[in-house]
Amino acid sequence: MYALADCNNFFASCERVFRPDLNGKPVIVLSNNDGCAIARSEEAKALGIKMGDPFFKIKPVVERYKVAVFSSNFALYGDMSARVQEVLRGYSPCVEVYSIDESFLDLSGMSVDFKAYAEQISRDCRRQTAIPVSVGIAPTKTLAKIASKLCKRYPRLNGGCYMHRPQDIEKVLRKFPVGDVWGIGRHSLRKLEEIGVRTAWDYASLPESTVMGLFHLPGLRTWKELLRIRTS
């Protein structure tokens, strides 16, 4: 089993650690030159502010709804990332830092209640760092990333999602947009749309030869992981 720990709206969440009065209020973080939005709280997303929106374009919304605006502070974000990773190392001897706000945990050989374990990791990260973290656990890294996205979509999961039963995985993949699958970029998405592939389940249902012909080994690796075949 793998876990994917993904910090929610990471840069915005880091700013809120030191401004708890902004919890529940719209927050955005701008790029180095304050040119565009590179992080948004859920409240800011609800106002229609999109990733990469130029600041001049969204300024009327920012002023109207009193959105808190921060210039990016990568020294702070790096420090907060290290704090989260320290918590994660208490749950697995093998933590792979994928990005500043995402880490994989190899849970091979562990015999625990994985749903409870995912919730505990999320809860502990929040308690020790004040950063909200979504934790998805599944048989492969690709499925673990999908499970972590479900945590963000459904608050009732309490920050932890364990996705392992074939029927549950199929149910999720049938509704999950193929463009949101880890490893499917814009170029690949265009090719898939041309052949009628819309969901992750559509992709997983393609013949192996079709996947190999279109996307070679990287695409085949994603395809296998959707089918619960461990590739690393």
Side-chain angles (χ1 to χ4, degrees):
M1 287 293 169
Y2 286 105
L4 188 279
D6 186 359
C7 301
N8 301 350
N9 310 315
F10 182 53
F11 296 169
S13 294
C14 288
E15 299 294 350
R16 279 176 164 172
V17 170
F18 302 95
R19 287 287 308 277
D21 59 300
L22 294 176
N23 288 329
K25 298 178 181 178
V27 176
I28 63 171
V29 176
L30 301 178
S31 54
N32 281 331
N33 60 356
D34 288 349
C36 62
I38 60 171
R40 305 151 297 152
S41 69
E42 292 300 322
E43 296 80 7
K45 293 176 185 178
L47 295 175
I49 298 174
K50 297 179 175 60
M51 182 70 76
D53 271 353
F55 183 64
F56 74 85
K57 178 182 176 181
I58 60 176
K59 189 174 181 180
V61 175
V62 168
E63 293 177 344
R64 179 178 180 182
Y65 294 99
K66 296 182 172 55
V67 178
V69 180
F70 292 89
S71 297
S72 52
N73 183 345
F74 291 106
L76 168 65
Y77 309 149
D79 179 68
M80 296 304 298
S81 177
R83 296 186 192 186
V84 172
Q85 292 161 25
E86 182 63 28
V87 176
L88 297 178
R89 281 192 284 271
Y91 287 92
S92 171
C94 184
V95 176
E96 175 190 347
V97 179
Y98 178 67
S99 66
I100 194 171
D101 61 348
E102 292 180 284
S103 295
F104 286 105
L105 288 71
D106 191 334
L107 307 179
S108 299
M110 297 183 64
S111 180
V112 297
D113 179 338
F114 284 117
K115 168 58 177 167
Y117 205 62
E119 291 180 4
Q120 182 180 346
I121 295 171
S122 176
R123 187 166 54 249
D124 217 12
C125 286
R126 187 65 177 263
R127 181 177 62 83
Q128 294 194 43
T129 70
I131 298 294
V133 177
S134 295
V135 181
I137 296 179
T140 68
K141 290 181 177 179
T142 300
L143 290 174
K145 282 183 72 73
I146 290 175
S148 73
K149 289 178 182 293
L150 295 181
C151 295
K152 297 181 180 183
R153 189 177 301 172
Y154 302 111
R156 67 177 181 273
L157 291 175
N158 298 317
C161 176
Y162 175 38
M163 193 170 69
H164 66 107
R165 296 192 307 174
Q167 63 269 34
D168 293 336
I169 292 173
E170 178 179 342
K171 182 178 179 181
V172 169
L173 297 189
R174 283 186 178 276
K175 296 181 180 180
F176 198 83
V178 69
D180 290 343
V181 174
W182 183 39
I184 303 295
R186 292 180 182 177
H187 182 64
S188 297
L189 180 59
R190 285 196 296 269
K191 287 185 176 181
L192 290 170
E193 288 176 341
E194 288 174 359
I195 61 174
V197 173
R198 298 289 184 269
T199 68
W201 183 252
D202 292 338
Y203 186 65
S205 300
L206 290 173
E208 181 175 348
S209 58
T210 299
V211 175
M212 188 63 179
L214 286 172
F215 307 117
H216 309 294
L217 287 176
L220 188 63
R221 185 178 301 112
T222 298
W223 178 81
K224 286 183 175 180
E225 292 215 346
L226 290 174
L227 294 172
R228 306 183 303 281
I229 300 172
R230 182 167 173 162
T231 60
S232 61

